[in-house]
Amino acid sequence: MTFFENVSVAPTGATRPVLLLLYSATIVMEASQGYGMAHPASSPGLVLIAMYLLHKKLNAIPTVGPTDFLSASRFWTEQGWDILQEGYNKYPNGIFKVALPDQWMIIINGRRLIEDTRKASEEELNMTESLNDALAVHYTLTKEIALDPYHVAIIRTPLTRNIAAGFGEIKEEMELAFTEYLADVKNDWVKIPAYKISFQIVGRVTNRYFVGLPLCRDSDWLDLNTHFAIDVFMSAAIINMFPQILKPLAGRFLTKMPASMKRATKLLQPIIQDRLAREEEHGGKAWPGKPNDLISWLIDEAKGGLRNIHQIIARVLAIEAAAINTTSTTLCNSLYQLATASPSIVQMLREEVDEIIAEYGWSKQGISKMCKLDSFLRETSRFSGAGGFVNRRKVMKDFTFSNGVTVPAGTTLCTAAYMHHHDKVSYYENPDTFDPLRFYRMREHEGANLRYQMFATDLDFLMFGSGRNSCPGRFFAVYQIKALIAHVLTTFDIKFENGVAPAYKWYGPEKGLDTKAVMMFRKRQD
Ligand code: HEM
């Protein structure tokens, strides 16, 4: 039984007005806080007018799926997929809303409306605010992270710029991690729990780059940060079931952040303390032997009250949470796809990897030349990537789309990635067919070489979001995943025992991987 099945409530079908009132009250309160308005409770008359207007604006957007509060939890079952697909089919290039237990989610369909969101200013549609809400960042992480996401610029610049310089270490850790976690794999087929292994290997490689030796091999540190993202998502899901007014109380008791901070402090405090002391000793940021890693980049950029040990530790945890879960699940999904690919496709990918490694060695440059592998992985993410709600934006002031529909301030909008990637008419030829060289061929068209690389964002490919807020860690994630799959291709044969990939399961908008699936590995035989 899943978390969401656990908390679902039997539908009653009779509470629609209550739902509307509850949503309206929540949205009115959130919108008023966003604009520094007087608290709505200070003027009940104003609240009623605001709720009436909001109700009217929300009513103008069609609803798909359950409309009553108690049945809204049905969305968090496999019915979520049916509801979204129904809305996608019914309103092509249009807008609809679905009821979630704590709010309306407004879904925008199609390229044209996504383009509108890209052009909107942060004062109109805001990604950070939507993330702060979705992950209850004030409570599950810290209020400083919610208020000042300076780490995004660090991921975008030093973390991404240093990939080439750090590639030798990434490669070393990758090989060691595979050797260690797949120690039993020899010439006979061995069963391997792919989901678990994906987290272990990504945890090791990511941490070698983020925090270096010896911490990247510390079992307590790895255990903490490979589970931390799940803790954040789970706590946020429960906190978000409480009405706005009770969230501070719920947040205080339901967050796991204090316990995680305690564990992290034991391991990180001495490292940060030592680096701050060296800085002081040498009178500045540059000192001999300074590690070129995430801890140093955070210390270099932290300002004012954010420049202390506690705040730096919280920031490291937050970045690990953004990086490890997403990269591990993408790696696992890619392994599932590779294990069921035809021998000719595997052969083709191997030839490409072998030739490039022979010419360029294991380097960032070599990895970027693996165009067939890149296409295979981008297609895997398009075809069967976890999807979910992407391009989440909080509506900061009433926003009118180019099709004339207005979404009210205080609501949240997004796009359903899977439906967009499988659109039957608009974007991809035969979208329900897995075509490993789809993007390779598209890159051959004049001027399109860079446009269809795996990390390139595009109105038709939403794995990393789109526009100015698209994922800043996507370059690191893609180089890592490509290197890991290239290593698997050169070193192992893989398959599923019965030749069939495990079934996916839908949870609301998410296409969930089978976390218990067992794959077969043996040393490469050809
Ligand atoms: C395959 C792996 C990954 C996937 C699929 C992924 C996906 C995403 C998506 C969909 C968004 C939202 C973008 C939008 O709404 O427009 C996002 C944001 C973000 N990602 Fe990633 N991500 C991945 C890896 C990483 C890594 C490795 C890091 C850190 C090194 C990272 C850090 C972030 C951060 C900090 C944000 C928020 C950006 C902001 O506030 O502007 N991600 N990611």
Side-chain angles (χ1 to χ4, degrees):
M1 179 165 284
T2 69
F3 163 72
F4 289 112
E5 282 161 354
N6 255 330
V7 296
S8 70
V9 189
T12 68
T15 46
R16 186 164 188 264
V18 179
L19 174 73
L20 282 167
L21 269 170
L22 202 90
Y23 283 176
S24 304
T26 299
I27 292 167
V28 167
M29 288 179 77
E30 286 186 353
S32 68
Q33 282 162 11
Y35 295 114
M37 281 162 51
H39 195 281
S42 60
S43 174
L46 273 181
V47 175
L48 285 176
I49 296 169
M51 278 166 68
Y52 168 75
L53 291 175
L54 180 66
H55 185 150
K56 222 173 124 185
K57 286 174 196 163
L58 276 171
N59 260 351
I61 299 172
T63 303
V64 177
T67 55
D68 82 66
F69 176 50
L70 294 176
S71 318
S73 57
R74 256 180 29 221
F75 184 80
W76 292 106
T77 64
E78 290 189 42
Q79 288 191 11
W81 189 89
D82 295 328
I83 293 168
L84 291 179
Q85 192 64 60
E86 185 188 332
Y88 198 87
N89 296 344
K90 227 167 158 176
Y91 303 104
N93 301 308
I95 300 184
F96 65 100
K97 64 181 189 297
V98 297
L100 306 186
D102 64 324
Q103 61 168 313
W104 290 111
M105 181 59 82
I106 296 175
I107 319 280
I108 62 162
N109 293 335
R111 232 186 231 163
R112 179 174 150 199
L113 303 186
I114 297 173
E115 180 64 12
D116 290 346
T117 66
R118 278 161 59 121
K119 287 184 186 149
S121 69
E122 304 241 303
E123 287 70 40
E124 294 171 310
L125 302 180
N126 193 296
M127 193 258 186
T128 308
E129 290 300 328
S130 74
L131 206 66
N132 286 345
D133 286 352
L135 297 180
V137 172
H138 275 81
Y139 315 112
T140 57
L141 295 169
T142 64
K143 69 175 187 320
E144 289 80 6
I145 291 173
L147 296 174
D148 184 352
Y150 79 93
H151 57 279
V152 173
I154 290 175
I155 298 170
R156 221 169 254 141
T157 311
L159 192 144
T160 299
R161 263 201 204 138
N162 281 293
I163 296 173
F167 202 84
E169 292 182 358
I170 292 174
K171 183 217 165 215
E172 183 182 272
E173 204 60 36
M174 166 179 93
E175 287 175 352
L176 277 170
F178 271 106
T179 307
E180 205 172 295
Y181 296 125
L182 301 184
D184 294 339
V185 177
K186 304 272 174 345
N187 288 327
D188 294 324
W189 289 107
V190 175
K191 290 183 176 171
I192 297 291
Y195 188 77
K196 184 172 164 205
I197 289 291
S198 297
F199 271 76
Q200 286 175 323
I201 291 173
V202 168
R204 276 281 288 269
V205 174
T206 302
N207 274 292
R208 177 72 186 264
Y209 188 63
F210 284 9
V211 300
L213 286 169
L215 191 57
C216 70
R217 295 183 192 154
D218 183 289
S219 56
D220 194 36
W221 175 248
L222 290 171
D223 183 69
L224 169 63
N225 60 52
T226 48
H227 289 97
F228 184 65
I230 313 276
D231 288 346
V232 169
F233 293 132
M234 295 298 260
S235 309
I238 304 174
I239 293 166
N240 280 339
M241 296 209 172
F242 286 81
Q244 199 60 25
I245 201 155
L246 292 179
K247 277 185 185 166
L249 192 66
R252 206 165 146 200
F253 290 106
L254 295 170
T255 178
K256 295 201 173 160
M257 187 60 171
S260 305
M261 279 297 290
K262 209 168 153 193
R263 274 174 84 184
T265 301
K266 245 194 238 158
L267 299 160
L268 272 181
Q269 178 162 316
I271 299 173
I272 301 172
Q273 232 160 17
D274 177 60
R275 294 199 195 177
L276 290 172
R278 301 266 191 130
E279 204 178 293
E280 201 155 313
E281 187 191 324
H282 290 88
K285 284 182 183 174
W287 44 271
K290 177 176 169 177
N292 192 22
D293 63 15
L294 180 62
I295 302 173
S296 293
W297 303 324
L298 285 168
I299 294 175
D300 285 352
E301 294 305 320
K303 308 264 181 316
L306 301 180
R307 205 168 194 283
N308 67 55
I309 292 174
H310 180 86
Q311 293 292 339
I312 303 277
I313 294 173
R315 227 29 95 141
V316 173
L317 280 180
I319 298 172
E320 299 259 2
I324 291 182
N325 192 52
T326 47
T327 310
S328 306
T329 48
T330 305
L331 172 67
C332 182
N333 194 36
S334 307
L335 286 172
Y336 288 1
Q337 196 71 52
L338 188 63
T340 47
S342 70
S344 63
I345 290 171
V346 174
Q347 185 58 25
M348 172 192 77
L349 295 175
R350 270 189 174 152
E351 276 169 19
E352 179 184 67
V353 173
D354 287 345
E355 275 166 27
I356 288 172
I357 296 300
E359 191 172 347
Y360 297 93
W362 286 95
S363 61
K364 180 179 175 244
Q365 191 195 13
I367 297 294
S368 61
K369 294 209 174 282
M370 296 173 186
C371 300
K372 290 179 181 160
L373 178 59
D374 197 274
S375 174
F376 177 89
L377 294 172
R378 183 170 162 117
E379 174 70 348
T380 298
S381 291
R382 181 201 71 80
F383 183 73
S384 59
F389 289 148
V390 290
N391 282 3
R392 270 178 190 259
R393 303 291 180 261
K394 177 112 176 232
V395 184
M396 305 305 285
K397 43 172 105 148
D398 286 7
F399 182 80
T400 303
F401 279 90
S402 55
N403 63 357
V405 176
T406 298
V407 288
T411 52
T412 302
L413 55 81
C414 68
T415 293
Y418 185 88
M419 283 74 206
H420 189 79
H421 287 159
H422 287 256
D423 189 298
K424 296 277 181 294
V425 281
S426 307
Y427 315 121
Y428 296 105
E429 230 178 293
N430 301 322
D432 292 334
T433 303
F434 180 78
D435 177 355
L437 292 184
R438 181 188 297 277
F439 294 107
Y440 181 79
R441 290 192 307 274
M442 287 164 81
R443 284 178 75 174
E444 285 179 327
H445 295 147
E446 208 186 323
N449 184 31
L450 301 179
R451 194 168 154 202
Y452 298 109
Q453 295 180 90
M454 188 176 178
F455 47 58
T457 59
D458 185 84
L459 290 177
D460 305 340
F461 181 71
L462 303 177
M463 173 185 188
F464 295 114
S466 72
R468 78 175 79 81
N469 290 112
S470 51
C471 174
R474 65 190 188 280
F475 299 94
F476 178 67
V478 168
Y479 278 107
Q480 182 179 172
I481 293 165
K482 280 181 79 175
L484 294 172
I485 294 290
H487 181 81
V488 169
L489 280 161
T490 55
T491 317
F492 303 105
D493 292 332
I494 62 171
K495 66 172 188 178
F496 282 104
E497 197 164 23
N498 59 3
V500 181
Y504 294 91
K505 201 164 184 223
W506 284 92
Y507 304 115
E510 302 283 347
K511 192 164 187 256
L513 285 170
D514 181 339
T515 57
K516 303 251 159 41
V518 171
M519 284 176 67
M520 311 293 288
F521 274 68
R522 70 175 181 194
K523 289 261 180 233
R524 181 177 172 181
Q525 302 287 304
D526 69 350

